[in-house]
């Protein structure tokens, strides 16, 4: 009996591994929208990446990370936790190219830079909700607390601009949970992730122009929702050339309204 077990051990190990892989696959499928940080896998240059939740699952909660992948269109978005002296230049460049972007802002940004918030609105950009305090929202299970994080920013935006805030939400740091997506949806929000970004947010370690282009040009793809940080001096410096080069590649710039249209 013991010899028979030893003789069949390789086969048993193979079966165990296959069962283990099946179990892992099932866990990934079941937890497609579980709490975690948004992540991407770029497998083919110029093609849309694979997100850690698929588009169909996200759509159930009015969430998306990709737009129309049948068209050469880019949806440009910016996140801003603070002002670093770059936004005016970024707005100038967007205006020169006729591009309408989305700016996801937090409470202290709006409080300290009301004139920039008004300018974004006046020039046709969407100002989206990045929450008031930029907390890890996946740790908030109480619906009233979650709601107040978004609604307090809405009230501030209305005080500054006299307009109602558009219902677009981006989770701080891309950290989300299925419950968060459900609560945002119940408030009428659409959650906007992204399909292209790079490490541009570290103030003391700004990427070089060459590094930025090496990430942003080969990985651009149809229907890309691009996330850039408006705090980045590199982004401000290269944006005109970046938009020009994307335009030369045949891309047009859409708004995130189109993603959910």
């Amino acid at each position: 009996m013991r010899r028979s077990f030893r003789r069949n051990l390789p086969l048993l190990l193979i079966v165990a591994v296959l069962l283990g892989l099946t179990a892992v696959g099932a866990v990934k499928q079941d937890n497609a929208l579980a709490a975690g940080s948004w992540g991407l896998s770029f497998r083919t240059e110029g093609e849309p990446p694979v997100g850690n939740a698929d588009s169909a699952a996200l759509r159930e909660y009015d969430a998306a990370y990709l737009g129309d992948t049948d068209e050469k269109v880019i949806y440009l978005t910016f996140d801003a936790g603070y002002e670093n002296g770059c936004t005016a230049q970024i707005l100038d460049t967007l205006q020169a190219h006729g591009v309408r972007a989305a700016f996801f802002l937090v409470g202290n940004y709006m409080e300290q830079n009301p004139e920039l918030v008004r300018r974004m609105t006046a020039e046709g950009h969407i100002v989206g909700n990045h929450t008031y305090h930029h907390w890890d929202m996946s740790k908030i299970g109480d619906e009233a607390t979650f709601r107040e994080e978004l609604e307090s920013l809405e009230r501030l935006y209305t005080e500054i601009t006299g307009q109602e805030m558009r219902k677009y939400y981006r989770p701080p740091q891309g950290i989300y949970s299925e419950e968060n997506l459900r609560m945002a949806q119940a408030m009428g929000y659409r959650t906007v992730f992204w399909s292209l970004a790079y490490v541009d947010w570290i103030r003391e370690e700004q990427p070089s122009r060459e590094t930025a282009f090496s990430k942003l040009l080969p990985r651009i793809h149809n229907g890309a929702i691009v996330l850039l940080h408006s705090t980045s001096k590199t982004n401000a410096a290269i944006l005109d050339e970046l938009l020009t080069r994307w335009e030369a590649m045949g891309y047009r710039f859409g708004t995130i309204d189109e993603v959910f249209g």
Side-chain angles (χ1 to χ4, degrees):
M1 185 75 164
R2 193 169 295 169
R3 272 184 207 157
S4 174
F5 176 81
R6 287 176 180 168
R7 191 166 50 248
N8 292 316
L9 184 57
L11 178 59
L12 291 170
L13 287 172
I14 291 171
V15 171
V17 168
L18 290 174
L19 288 173
L21 289 174
T22 303
V24 169
V27 168
K28 287 181 178 177
Q29 180 94 16
D30 292 342
N31 292 332
L33 291 175
S37 293
W38 181 248
L40 299 165
S41 173
F42 287 87
R43 300 178 180 179
T44 305
E45 186 174 300
E47 293 294 325
V50 176
N52 56 1
D54 66 41
S55 293
L58 290 172
R59 286 284 180 179
E60 293 294 318
Y61 295 93
D62 293 324
Y65 79 100
L66 275 171
D68 185 358
T69 57
D70 291 328
E71 186 182 355
K72 291 181 76 67
V73 57
I74 295 168
Y75 311 95
L76 194 58
T77 72
F78 294 87
D79 285 3
Y82 61 95
E83 175 53 34
N84 197 32
C86 304
T87 305
Q89 182 180 353
I90 288 171
L91 289 170
D92 290 344
T93 301
L94 294 174
Q95 190 172 47
H97 285 260
V99 175
R100 301 292 177 261
F103 288 83
F104 289 91
L105 307 179
V106 298
N108 72 332
Y109 185 97
M110 286 195 184
E111 290 169 348
Q112 295 170 16
N113 305 279
E115 71 290 345
L116 287 173
V117 177
R118 284 190 287 267
R119 181 179 172 186
M120 291 171 188
T121 302
E123 294 181 1
H125 303 294
I126 290 172
V127 175
N129 202 319
H130 206 32
T131 76
Y132 196 94
H133 294 100
H134 202 262
W135 288 334
D136 176 353
M137 299 298 283
S138 70
K139 294 180 179 177
I140 298 178
D142 175 63
E143 191 151 358
T145 304
F146 183 93
R147 180 177 290 272
E148 180 59 18
E149 264 300 293
L150 274 64
E151 288 185 344
S152 57
L153 196 74
E154 292 175 11
R155 292 192 294 270
L156 180 57
Y157 177 78
T158 299
E159 288 174 17
I160 292 169
T161 67
Q163 299 186 25
E164 289 189 9
M165 190 173 219
R166 304 285 295 279
K167 295 282 189 173
Y168 292 105
Y169 163 62
R170 174 164 283 160
Q173 303 175 66
I175 302 174
Y176 69 100
S177 69
E178 187 170 3
E179 183 64 7
N180 286 167
L181 297 179
R182 185 196 67 75
M183 290 190 286
Q185 183 184 44
M187 293 177 66
Y189 272 90
R190 291 161 168 172
T191 300
V192 184
F193 291 104
W194 59 89
S195 63
L196 179 58
Y198 77 119
V199 181
D200 61 351
W201 62 84
I202 304 173
R203 189 189 301 190
E204 298 79 14
E205 299 177 22
Q206 280 292 284
S208 67
R209 173 184 173 281
E210 291 73 24
T211 296
F213 283 129
S214 73
K215 302 294 184 183
L216 297 171
L217 293 178
R219 290 180 173 178
I220 197 64
H221 51 272
N222 288 7
I225 298 178
V226 177
L227 162 59
L228 300 175
H229 285 83
S230 58
T231 54
S232 167
K233 291 187 180 297
T234 297
N235 288 342
I238 70 167
L239 187 60
D240 179 62
E241 183 179 354
L242 179 64
L243 299 183
T244 299
R245 293 177 73 169
W246 277 339
E247 288 164 346
M249 294 167 72
Y251 287 96
R252 73 170 183 88
F253 296 93
T255 69
I256 55 175
D257 287 324
E258 298 175 23
V259 175
F260 297 93

